[in-house]
Amino acid sequence: IRDSILGDWWWSRKSPDPHPERLSIVAHEYFHCHQHGLTHYFDREKRYGWVINAYPDHEKTVGTFGPYWLAEGGATYFGTNYAAKYSVGWNYKDQMRNKLDRARAAVKKGAKLQKYISQNQSNKRGDDFDYDGGAWAMAYLANHKGGNKQVFTSYYKDIAELERKWRKKGRKNYGWQASFKKHFGMTVNQFYKKFHKFMKQPISKQMAI
């Protein structure tokens, strides 16, 4: 939301940026709040929380609700979906195709999701594969599950409890991986291999999902 509030000039009626694009970005920023809210909520106790002394720094490593590509890819995918549903002139397939073209170009230069784990890693590469490739990773997972429920809500809702469960076993910051496996039916490493193979397929097969 910070980016939306600070960019006052962006909301001017004279702004050259089209309304659908602005709506997509607002939805993107809102989704980050949604990600944090679900990830840090304990349903049984009906409270928010996290162990402060073990709170991961997403700039240097994986964040509380997953790698940087998942954080930005999830928000980008949601923003594109939202704008397509609630704004005239925002063609979902065209927007996803644009992201796919950029993601494919990055893959040709060696991009893999595994290289976009932290914010610093992603910024250093500077090709926005965390956004474009991340959005397509969400589309791939949604297609795998037959809908958006897992990528929009279910995955995030279980992280807090699973994190607590695994910490009792001596493993910190594993909650997101446990939730990933629970809701998508594969480990994140298995997914990386499947998705990278998917990104090498012809555009027609990619757009078919």
Side-chain angles (χ1 to χ4, degrees), residues 2 7 38 47 58 101 105 110 116 144 158 160 178 184 199 206 209:
R2 174 199 63 199
L38 289 182
R47 66 176 177 84
H58 74 276
D101 288 342
Y116 300 79
H144 173 67
D158 285 339
F184 301 123
M199 286 303 299
Q206 294 168 329
I209 75 168

Side-chain angles (χ1 to χ4, degrees), residues 114-129:
Q114 302 95 305
K115 298 180 180 180
Y116 300 79
I117 300 300
S118 70
Q119 186 178 42
N120 289 346
Q121 268 187 316
S122 302
N123 291 343
K124 187 176 181 180
R125 293 191 65 84
D127 54 14
D128 287 337
F129 188 70

Side-chain angles (χ1 to χ4, degrees), residues 99-114:
K99 291 173 176 52
L100 179 61
D101 288 342
R102 293 192 294 267
R104 285 173 62 91
V107 169
K108 287 183 178 179
K109 296 180 179 179
K112 293 182 179 181
L113 292 178
Q114 302 95 305

